PDB file of all heavy atoms in Angstrom:
ATOM      1  N   SER A 854      65.127 -47.354  66.816  1.00 66.00           N
ATOM      2  CA  SER A 854      65.327 -46.699  65.535  1.00 66.00           C
ATOM      3  C   SER A 854      64.052 -46.032  65.026  1.00 66.00           C
ATOM      4  O   SER A 854      64.086 -45.316  64.037  1.00 66.00           O
ATOM      5  CB  SER A 854      65.848 -47.699  64.504  1.00 66.00           C
ATOM      6  OG  SER A 854      64.878 -48.691  64.267  1.00 66.00           O
ATOM      7  N   LEU A 855      62.916 -46.273  65.672  1.00 82.00           N
ATOM      8  CA  LEU A 855      61.662 -45.645  65.266  1.00 82.00           C
ATOM      9  C   LEU A 855      61.288 -44.526  66.228  1.00 82.00           C
ATOM     10  O   LEU A 855      61.336 -44.695  67.438  1.00 82.00           O
ATOM     11  CB  LEU A 855      60.528 -46.669  65.205  1.00 82.00           C
ATOM     12  CG  LEU A 855      60.653 -47.732  64.126  1.00 82.00           C
ATOM     13  CD1 LEU A 855      59.483 -48.695  64.209  1.00 82.00           C
ATOM     14  CD2 LEU A 855      60.732 -47.111  62.745  1.00 82.00           C
ATOM     15  N   ILE A 861      47.284 -40.019  66.190  1.00 94.00           N
ATOM     16  CA  ILE A 861      46.126 -39.705  65.353  1.00 94.00           C
ATOM     17  C   ILE A 861      44.897 -40.421  65.884  1.00 94.00           C
ATOM     18  O   ILE A 861      44.912 -41.630  66.122  1.00 94.00           O
ATOM     19  CB  ILE A 861      46.380 -40.132  63.891  1.00 94.00           C
ATOM     20  CG1 ILE A 861      47.595 -39.388  63.340  1.00 94.00           C
ATOM     21  CG2 ILE A 861      45.139 -39.889  63.033  1.00 94.00           C
ATOM     22  CD1 ILE A 861      48.061 -39.876  61.994  1.00 94.00           C
ATOM     23  N   ASN A 881      34.996 -28.906  61.627  1.00 82.00           N
ATOM     24  CA  ASN A 881      33.943 -29.334  60.707  1.00 82.00           C
ATOM     25  C   ASN A 881      34.628 -30.044  59.547  1.00 82.00           C
ATOM     26  O   ASN A 881      35.801 -30.374  59.644  1.00 82.00           O
ATOM     27  CB  ASN A 881      33.071 -28.147  60.259  1.00 82.00           C
ATOM     28  CG  ASN A 881      33.849 -27.081  59.515  1.00 82.00           C
ATOM     29  OD1 ASN A 881      34.681 -27.407  58.670  1.00 82.00           O
ATOM     30  ND2 ASN A 881      33.604 -25.823  59.811  1.00 82.00           N
ATOM     31  N   THR A 887      44.027 -25.263  65.300  1.00 92.00           N
ATOM     32  CA  THR A 887      45.408 -25.623  65.618  1.00 92.00           C
ATOM     33  C   THR A 887      45.796 -25.012  66.955  1.00 92.00           C
ATOM     34  O   THR A 887      45.589 -23.827  67.184  1.00 92.00           O
ATOM     35  CB  THR A 887      46.369 -25.127  64.513  1.00 92.00           C
ATOM     36  OG1 THR A 887      45.967 -25.717  63.275  1.00 92.00           O
ATOM     37  CG2 THR A 887      47.794 -25.524  64.816  1.00 92.00           C
ATOM     38  N   ARG A 895      55.636 -30.787  74.590  1.00 96.00           N
ATOM     39  CA  ARG A 895      55.936 -31.582  73.397  1.00 96.00           C
ATOM     40  C   ARG A 895      57.018 -32.609  73.707  1.00 96.00           C
ATOM     41  O   ARG A 895      56.896 -33.788  73.360  1.00 96.00           O
ATOM     42  CB  ARG A 895      56.384 -30.693  72.245  1.00 96.00           C
ATOM     43  CG  ARG A 895      56.639 -31.492  70.955  1.00 96.00           C
ATOM     44  CD  ARG A 895      57.234 -30.641  69.862  1.00 96.00           C
ATOM     45  NE  ARG A 895      58.637 -30.350  70.078  1.00 96.00           N
ATOM     46  CZ  ARG A 895      59.649 -31.190  69.806  1.00 96.00           C
ATOM     47  NH1 ARG A 895      59.405 -32.381  69.335  1.00 96.00           N
ATOM     48  NH2 ARG A 895      60.890 -30.824  70.023  1.00 96.00           N
ATOM     49  N   LEU A 897      57.833 -33.857  76.618  1.00 97.00           N
ATOM     50  CA  LEU A 897      57.319 -34.845  77.559  1.00 97.00           C
ATOM     51  C   LEU A 897      56.397 -35.834  76.854  1.00 97.00           C
ATOM     52  O   LEU A 897      56.486 -37.047  77.065  1.00 97.00           O
ATOM     53  CB  LEU A 897      56.601 -34.158  78.723  1.00 97.00           C
ATOM     54  CG  LEU A 897      56.064 -35.070  79.822  1.00 97.00           C
ATOM     55  CD1 LEU A 897      57.139 -36.005  80.359  1.00 97.00           C
ATOM     56  CD2 LEU A 897      55.471 -34.230  80.943  1.00 97.00           C
ATOM     57  N   GLY A 906      53.722 -47.795  77.094  1.00 96.00           N
ATOM     58  CA  GLY A 906      53.588 -49.112  77.689  1.00 96.00           C
ATOM     59  C   GLY A 906      54.564 -49.368  78.821  1.00 96.00           C
ATOM     60  O   GLY A 906      54.484 -50.385  79.488  1.00 96.00           O
ATOM     61  N   SER A 907      55.485 -48.431  79.056  1.00 97.00           N
ATOM     62  CA  SER A 907      56.483 -48.581  80.125  1.00 97.00           C
ATOM     63  C   SER A 907      56.245 -47.546  81.223  1.00 97.00           C
ATOM     64  O   SER A 907      55.814 -46.430  80.936  1.00 97.00           O
ATOM     65  CB  SER A 907      57.896 -48.356  79.567  1.00 97.00           C
ATOM     66  OG  SER A 907      58.206 -49.296  78.586  1.00 97.00           O
ATOM     67  N   LYS A 920      66.328 -31.712  81.692  1.00 90.00           N
ATOM     68  CA  LYS A 920      67.777 -31.896  81.697  1.00 90.00           C
ATOM     69  C   LYS A 920      68.503 -31.108  82.783  1.00 90.00           C
ATOM     70  O   LYS A 920      68.461 -31.480  83.930  1.00 90.00           O
ATOM     71  CB  LYS A 920      68.344 -31.614  80.315  1.00 90.00           C
ATOM     72  CG  LYS A 920      67.791 -32.582  79.284  1.00 90.00           C
ATOM     73  CD  LYS A 920      68.255 -32.268  77.900  1.00 90.00           C
ATOM     74  CE  LYS A 920      67.751 -33.274  76.905  1.00 90.00           C
ATOM     75  NZ  LYS A 920      66.483 -33.031  76.343  1.00 90.00           N
ATOM     76  N   ALA A 932      52.871 -29.917  83.572  1.00 96.00           N
ATOM     77  CA  ALA A 932      53.040 -30.319  82.174  1.00 96.00           C
ATOM     78  C   ALA A 932      52.124 -31.492  81.834  1.00 96.00           C
ATOM     79  O   ALA A 932      51.490 -31.509  80.764  1.00 96.00           O
ATOM     80  CB  ALA A 932      54.495 -30.673  81.892  1.00 96.00           C
ATOM     81  N   SER A 934      49.296 -32.209  83.295  1.00 96.00           N
ATOM     82  CA  SER A 934      47.942 -31.670  83.272  1.00 96.00           C
ATOM     83  C   SER A 934      47.637 -31.040  81.911  1.00 96.00           C
ATOM     84  O   SER A 934      46.562 -31.244  81.343  1.00 96.00           O
ATOM     85  CB  SER A 934      47.770 -30.643  84.392  1.00 96.00           C
ATOM     86  OG  SER A 934      46.502 -30.047  84.319  1.00 96.00           O
ATOM     87  N   ALA A 943      40.348 -35.874  72.281  1.00 90.00           N
ATOM     88  CA  ALA A 943      39.955 -37.113  71.626  1.00 90.00           C
ATOM     89  C   ALA A 943      39.259 -38.081  72.582  1.00 90.00           C
ATOM     90  O   ALA A 943      38.412 -38.861  72.176  1.00 90.00           O
ATOM     91  CB  ALA A 943      41.170 -37.798  71.013  1.00 90.00           C
ATOM     92  N   PHE A 960      51.886 -44.605  79.506  1.00 97.00           N
ATOM     93  CA  PHE A 960      51.127 -44.061  78.385  1.00 97.00           C
ATOM     94  C   PHE A 960      50.752 -45.185  77.423  1.00 97.00           C
ATOM     95  O   PHE A 960      51.621 -45.895  76.914  1.00 97.00           O
ATOM     96  CB  PHE A 960      51.991 -43.011  77.673  1.00 97.00           C
ATOM     97  CG  PHE A 960      51.291 -42.282  76.562  1.00 97.00           C
ATOM     98  CD1 PHE A 960      50.082 -41.628  76.770  1.00 97.00           C
ATOM     99  CD2 PHE A 960      51.865 -42.221  75.299  1.00 97.00           C
ATOM    100  CE1 PHE A 960      49.455 -40.935  75.749  1.00 97.00           C
ATOM    101  CE2 PHE A 960      51.251 -41.530  74.271  1.00 97.00           C
ATOM    102  CZ  PHE A 960      50.037 -40.884  74.496  1.00 97.00           C
ATOM    103  N   PRO A 980      63.445 -32.407  65.389  1.00 48.00           N
ATOM    104  CA  PRO A 980      63.724 -31.286  66.311  1.00 48.00           C
ATOM    105  C   PRO A 980      63.326 -31.595  67.740  1.00 48.00           C
ATOM    106  O   PRO A 980      62.248 -32.088  67.977  1.00 48.00           O
ATOM    107  CB  PRO A 980      62.869 -30.151  65.733  1.00 48.00           C
ATOM    108  CG  PRO A 980      61.767 -30.836  64.980  1.00 48.00           C
ATOM    109  CD  PRO A 980      62.344 -32.135  64.478  1.00 48.00           C
TER     110      PRO A 980
END
Side-chain angles (χ1 to χ4, degrees):
S854 64
L855 293 179
I861 300 171
N881 61 43
T887 301
R895 183 187 75 80
L897 183 53
S907 298
K920 298 176 177 87
S934 176
F960 185 54

